[in-house]
Amino acid sequence: MPSISISTPIGHLTVEERESAIVGVRWADEPDGAKTPLLSDAARQLEAYFAGGRKDFDLPLAAAGTVFDRRVWTAMRAIPYGETRTYGDLAHLTDSGPRAVGRACGRNPIPIIVPCHRILARGGLGGYSGGAGLPTKQWLLALEGRLRKAA
């Protein structure tokens, strides 16, 4: 599978492509697979995001998941940079429950680009399964101006 690995402030990420669409972003430092123009563009967009110069992504995505998962991921992509929603907010939008939304967040194969870090619990941060867990979520929210960066 074509892939590219990049170094970021939250660890090494490997971006994967299948049939001209991004299908995965994983915390891993793996040798690059066959490089493609799409993967080079994805790397440039992610690097610009981490540098604070990009607020959204313009990439074709093809995340594998259930119909419900894809509905939740679409709702997440509609959350603007620097804003957050609760699991309950997305549950209301997807006619489901907060726990089901949380499970869909945990199954998100394209974190950061599909911003599951912008989903919070009603009374706190909630969970995060990417990178180092909650410290990674806090870092991403701080980058977007939603939390103070730790000293």
Side-chain angles (χ1 to χ4, degrees), residues 23-104:
V23 296
V25 173
R26 296 182 297 108
W27 271 264
D29 184 14
E30 298 176 354
D32 292 346
K35 287 188 183 180
T36 67
L38 175 58
L39 287 171
S40 295
D41 189 29
R44 278 191 299 276
Q45 289 188 36
L46 282 163
E47 288 164 354
Y49 169 80
F50 286 114
R54 184 167 197 99
K55 300 195 182 323
D56 57 8
F57 296 92
D58 182 23
L59 298 165
L61 306 178
T66 67
V67 170
F68 174 73
D69 289 341
R70 290 192 307 271
R71 246 188 9 242
V72 171
W73 301 335
T74 297
M76 283 191 279
R77 289 194 71 205
I79 302 169
Y81 179 97
E83 293 186 23
T84 58
R85 302 291 184 271
T86 66
Y87 296 103
D89 292 336
L90 262 66
H92 179 74
L93 288 173
T94 58
D95 196 28
S96 64
R99 287 186 182 180
V101 168
R103 284 189 297 274

Side-chain angles (χ1 to χ4, degrees), residues 49 57 73-81 83 105 108 110-119 128 141 144:
Y49 169 80
F57 296 92
W73 301 335
T74 297
M76 283 191 279
R77 289 194 71 205
I79 302 169
Y81 179 97
E83 293 186 23
C105 287
N108 174 15
I110 311 175
I112 303 164
I113 296 170
V114 176
C116 50
H117 62 276
R118 295 180 189 156
I119 309 302
Y128 195 71
L141 291 170
E144 296 185 9

